[in-house]
Amino acid sequence: MSSTGTRASDNIINKNLEMISPSGIRKFFDILFSLDGVVSLGIGEPDFITPRHIRDAATYALEKGYTMYSSNYGLLELRQELAQHLKSHFHVGYDPEKEILITVGTSQGLDLALRATINPGDEVIIPDPCYVAYSPCIVLAGGVPVPVLTGIENNFSIKASDIEAHITSRTKSILIGYPSNPTGAIVPLDELNKIAEVAQKYNLVVISDEVYSRLVYGVTNNCFPSIPGTMDKTILIGGFSKTYAMTGWRIGYVAADRKFIEAMTRIHQYTMLCAPIMVQMAAIEALKHGEDDIKMMVNEYDKRRHLLVNGLNTIGLSCFEPSGAFYTFPSIASTGMTSDEFSERLLMEEKVAVIPGSAFGSGGEGFVRCSYATPLTNIEEALIRMSKFVKKHS
Ligand SMILES: Cc1ncc(COP(=O)(O)O)c(C=O)c1O
């Protein structure tokens, strides 16, 4: 019994969880699944099935009896393939033996990167709006998220000067995720250079979530650690979910200086041990022979992107042209509704699902996330219904 008469067992749930609100996305999926005939632009994952040869590699691994643990770091062959992939596509060199860790999705990489670097009360700068997991994962690691507003005037790309304006003596790191979920924005190279200068000036760690890095349209997406002088303080996280349509497989990676990889592996070895071995073997196949699949999917996403961006602008939901991922982020200002109200009424009145921008941070208010990870025919139908809705409510 403590001096105040309370016992640890009186609070059976971790207090940190009180600071985490349920995902604003979940709420919409709960409504969506209770309705018939919904056209969904709410999806956050590829609508493609994992390419056949990748599935075959996993089946073959199982047939051959690969059902055991791998090294904590992951199969060396996979790390070697990844090092090669990162070198040829992003111009960054990592030692596969000491600087790459295979994780259970980008999600685990994110969690490890935060837990391995945050001390209680450390502040982590994040863009606002951003991926829904950033803030909760920082809180769970004992840190304090510090959102930096991004806006349409800058096509939702974060600015180095805004980051600098939020730095305090408690700032530990900057967590960025570009191409962005929910906006599809990328950060131009000159701005990345400025962010790197700010990080160096204040000795900050940069955690760069590049899970969408291969899904870009007609532009070059610069990998953050490819900026000279940044590699020793940058943790690059990525995965196979979006690039190869492998969301359900749960496989990702972290690439960083060995001091970070050692720290993250210390957590990983006790909490996860390793990523599933047959999935790692499928990932090797994806890296070795998956380039044509990526091309095919990127071409298809690009067609849908054009249709959706043009369609949204035509019906009065003004939308900048996103360069990456598979999301558009139109303004709903013309309707005078909040993003929550817009999304709920659109779903109930016209049976089209979109995600309110506010689910991704206060900077997302006034916008909704529309995904084009869905066939062209669905996008056409969604636009017809949304046009009706906007005419009725503008
Ligand atoms: C920006 C971002 N990072 C990470 C993830 C999680 O990816 P994974 O499936 O590799 O864990 C997602 C999933 O939607 C995402 O949008």
Side-chain angles (χ1 to χ4, degrees), residues 44 105-107 131 134 181 209 211-212 241-242 250:
T106 313
S107 303
Y131 177 46
Y134 291 167
N181 174 6
D209 173 357
V211 70
Y212 292 101
S241 288
K242 318 289 175 171
R250 313 309 305 130

Coordinates of all heavy atoms in Angstrom, one line a residue, residues 44 105-107 131 134 181 209 211-212 241-242 250, ligand 1:
G44 N -6.9 2.6 -47.1 CA -5.5 2.9 -46.9 C -4.5 1.8 -47.3 O -3.4 1.8 -46.8
G105 N 6.5 -5.2 -40.3 CA 5.9 -4.0 -40.9 C 6.7 -2.7 -40.6 O 7.5 -2.7 -39.7
T106 N 6.3 -1.7 -41.3 CA 6.9 -0.4 -41.0 C 6.4 0.1 -39.6 O 7.2 0.8 -38.9 CB 6.3 0.7 -42.1 OG1 6.5 0.1 -43.4 CG2 7.1 2.0 -42.0
S107 N 5.3 -0.4 -39.3 CA 4.7 -0.1 -37.9 C 5.7 -0.5 -36.8 O 5.9 0.3 -35.9 CB 3.4 -0.8 -37.7 OG 2.5 -0.5 -38.7
Y131 N 0.2 10.8 -40.5 CA -0.3 9.4 -40.3 C -0.8 9.2 -38.9 O -0.1 9.7 -37.9 CB 0.8 8.4 -40.7 CG 0.5 7.0 -40.4 CD1 -0.7 6.4 -40.9 CD2 1.5 6.1 -39.8 CE1 -0.9 5.0 -40.6 CE2 1.2 4.8 -39.6 CZ 0.0 4.3 -40.0 OH -0.3 2.9 -39.8
Y134 N 1.5 8.2 -35.6 CA 2.7 8.9 -35.1 C 2.5 9.4 -33.7 O 3.4 9.1 -32.8 CB 3.1 10.1 -36.0 CG 3.6 9.7 -37.4 CD1 3.7 10.7 -38.4 CD2 4.0 8.4 -37.7 CE1 4.2 10.4 -39.7 CE2 4.4 8.1 -39.0 CZ 4.5 9.1 -40.0 OH 5.0 8.7 -41.2
N181 N 0.8 10.2 -46.0 CA -0.5 9.8 -45.7 C -1.0 10.8 -44.6 O -0.4 10.8 -43.5 CB -0.5 8.4 -45.1 CG -1.9 7.9 -44.7 OD1 -2.9 8.6 -44.8 ND2 -1.9 6.7 -44.0
D209 N 9.9 8.1 -42.3 CA 9.0 7.0 -42.7 C 8.8 7.1 -44.2 O 8.1 7.9 -44.7 CB 7.7 7.1 -41.9 CG 6.6 6.1 -42.4 OD1 6.9 5.4 -43.3 OD2 5.5 6.2 -41.8
V211 N 7.5 4.6 -46.3 CA 6.8 3.4 -46.7 C 6.2 3.6 -48.1 O 6.0 2.7 -48.8 CB 5.7 3.0 -45.7 CG1 4.6 4.0 -45.6 CG2 5.2 1.6 -45.9
Y212 N 5.9 4.9 -48.5 CA 5.3 5.1 -49.8 C 6.4 5.6 -50.8 O 6.0 6.1 -51.9 CB 4.3 6.3 -49.7 CG 3.0 5.9 -48.9 CD1 2.9 6.3 -47.6 CD2 2.0 5.1 -49.5 CE1 1.7 5.9 -46.9 CE2 0.9 4.7 -48.8 CZ 0.8 5.1 -47.5 OH -0.4 4.7 -46.8
S241 N 4.4 -3.3 -47.6 CA 3.0 -3.2 -47.6 C 2.4 -2.5 -48.8 O 1.6 -3.0 -49.5 CB 2.4 -2.5 -46.4 OG 2.5 -3.3 -45.2
K242 N 2.9 -1.3 -49.1 CA 2.3 -0.5 -50.1 C 3.0 -0.7 -51.5 O 2.3 -0.8 -52.5 CB 2.5 1.0 -49.8 CG 2.2 1.4 -48.3 CD 0.8 1.3 -47.9 CE 0.6 1.5 -46.4 NZ -0.8 1.7 -46.0
R250 N 2.9 -8.3 -43.1 CA 3.6 -7.6 -41.9 C 5.1 -7.8 -42.0 O 5.7 -8.5 -41.3 CB 3.0 -8.2 -40.6 CG 1.5 -8.3 -40.4 CD 0.8 -7.0 -40.8 NE 1.3 -5.8 -40.1 CZ 1.6 -4.7 -40.7 NH1 1.5 -4.5 -42.0 NH2 2.0 -3.7 -39.9
Ligands
LIG1 C1 2.7 6.6 -43.4 C2 2.5 5.2 -43.0 N1 3.5 4.6 -42.3 C3 3.4 3.4 -41.9 C4 2.3 2.6 -42.2 C5 2.2 1.2 -41.7 O1 2.8 0.3 -42.7 P1 3.0 -1.2 -42.5 O2 1.9 -1.9 -43.1 O3 4.3 -1.5 -43.2 O4 3.2 -1.4 -41.0 C6 1.2 3.2 -42.9 C7 0.0 2.4 -43.2 O5 -1.0 2.9 -43.6 C8 1.3 4.5 -43.3 O6 0.4 5.1 -44.0

